[in-house]
Amino acid sequence: MKILSIQSAVAYGHVGNSAAVFPLQRIGVEVLPVYTVNFSNHTGYGAWRGPLIPPEDVREVVTGIEERGAFPAIDAVLSGYQGSEGIGDVIVDAVARVKAANPDAVYACDPVMGNAKSGCFVAPAIPVLLRERVVPVADIITPNQFELGFLTETEPDTIESTLASADLARAMGPRTVLVTSVERPDREPDTIEMMVVDDSGAWIVQTPLLPMKANGSGDVTAALFTAHYLATRDAAEALARTTSSVWDLLRTTHESGERELKLVESQDFYANPRMQFEVRRLR
């Protein structure tokens, strides 16, 4: 399997491609990483150094990969945080070119906009770009519950309303919707859930909620789910494998007491997920 991953990169810590590439490689995926920024660290620290890579330079890298004849063998394009409208244009164009070379290729988009605690933290143009131009050409999207509501202009907060919002998102174009950070009033205390909906049904999985903020965990989740889903074409299996790996990554990070993901230390959990959480069918 080969994935073209167009995302940010940081030298210190793990977000964007610096979070997604290694877990994918550890499960046997060949990754072609294209960087949209090259920062010292993620912006959550409030200070960072390094360049935003101009969209035309990103496009040049993609074109160079195309000129090597790589596109027919690419199984998926993966994208995450889009820092500007220009990058969105480059990604959408890359998807079209990959699919022209390989009609079976898919586009997996993590529509990063914000979260329930912080609200929307991207430029005002980005949600509009995602809703109107990016998500409609995606095959898989991996929003958190807040982003799902933003995309569909709804307020999902129960299983039923989250399913309804996922169906609205699927009507926009993507056939598979993975919803992360699902929080509902009637869930068990100190738990959190993930839900997946595709043409074959809908499933949910519940895990303990760890008291931590983990930058980059969504990037790992989107990457692993995409790879497992492509490998198995089974949404429930992909959800189970992804949940197991990511929860053990978060647990290992939390136990370390450190802020950055313990990405390398957790590598066996990607290759050999413990499958410790039950995936329940919703419909």
Side-chain angles (χ1 to χ4, degrees):
M1 185 186 303
K2 288 188 178 180
I3 293 179
L4 176 67
S5 182
I6 307 174
Q7 300 196 58
S8 60
V10 294
Y12 177 83
H14 303 287
V15 299
N17 268 334
S18 302
V21 171
F22 177 64
L24 287 172
Q25 291 172 330
R26 190 62 180 83
I27 63 172
V29 177
E30 182 74 37
V31 188
L32 288 70
V34 176
Y35 302 138
T36 56
V37 309
N38 188 15
F39 286 168
S40 55
N41 52 271
H42 71 70
T43 59
Y45 286 95
W48 64 94
R49 294 179 183 271
L52 281 164
I53 299 175
E56 282 311 307
D57 288 349
V58 179
R59 192 188 302 272
E60 282 290 293
V61 173
V62 172
T63 299
I65 295 169
E66 182 179 31
E67 290 170 346
R68 300 288 74 74
F71 280 10
I74 290 175
D75 299 290
V77 179
L78 176 66
S79 73
Y81 170 74
Q82 297 185 18
S84 70
E85 292 180 78
I87 290 295
D89 291 336
V90 172
I91 292 168
V92 169
D93 179 60
V95 169
R97 287 152 66 184
V98 167
K99 287 191 170 192
N102 177 14
D104 293 328
V106 304
Y107 172 35
C109 170
D110 186 8
V112 178
M113 289 180 279
N115 56 59
K117 292 182 176 64
S118 305
C120 195
F121 52 59
V122 297
I126 299 301
V128 178
L129 169 76
L130 288 168
R131 184 187 296 130
E132 295 182 358
R133 296 175 51 206
V134 179
V135 167
V137 302
D139 301 285
I140 300 168
I141 59 171
T142 59
N144 60 39
Q145 191 178 32
F146 171 85
E147 291 161 343
L148 176 65
F150 219 91
L151 277 176
T152 57
E153 300 179 280
T154 59
E155 295 185 5
D157 62 352
T158 64
I159 286 180
E160 292 74 20
S161 62
T162 304
L163 278 171
S165 296
D167 287 338
L168 287 173
R170 293 177 72 237
M172 296 167 68
R175 303 311 306 160
T176 304
V177 178
L178 174 71
V179 190
T180 64
S181 300
V182 174
E183 300 183 52
R184 53 188 172 93
D186 56 341
R187 73 187 190 280
E188 295 176 32
D190 301 316
T191 63
I192 196 163
E193 292 166 315
M194 280 204 291
M195 177 189 296
V196 65
V197 184
D198 73 356
D199 289 339
S200 60
W203 294 265
I204 196 166
V205 62
Q206 185 177 90
T207 70
L209 175 62
L210 294 166
M212 61 183 293
K213 179 182 179 182
N215 293 90
S217 58
D219 302 319
V220 177
T221 300
L224 287 177
F225 178 80
T226 298
H228 287 312
Y229 189 72
L230 289 178
T232 65
R233 299 293 171 172
D234 184 325
E237 178 74 7
L239 179 63
R241 287 178 175 273
T242 302
T243 302
S244 174
S245 298
V246 173
W247 193 83
D248 273 327
L249 165 63
L250 292 174
R251 176 186 56 80
T252 302
T253 303
H254 180 59
E255 290 173 354
S256 76
E258 296 185 22
R259 177 172 179 174
E260 294 291 346
L261 291 176
K262 305 300 283 185
L263 197 78
V264 175
E265 293 85 342
S266 302
Q267 62 181 287
D268 286 344
F269 297 125
Y270 319 139
N272 302 292
R274 293 191 294 145
M275 308 296 276
Q276 67 273 48
F277 301 111
E278 178 190 2
V279 172
R280 181 165 60 91
R281 190 177 190 116
L282 295 173
R283 68 181 188 204

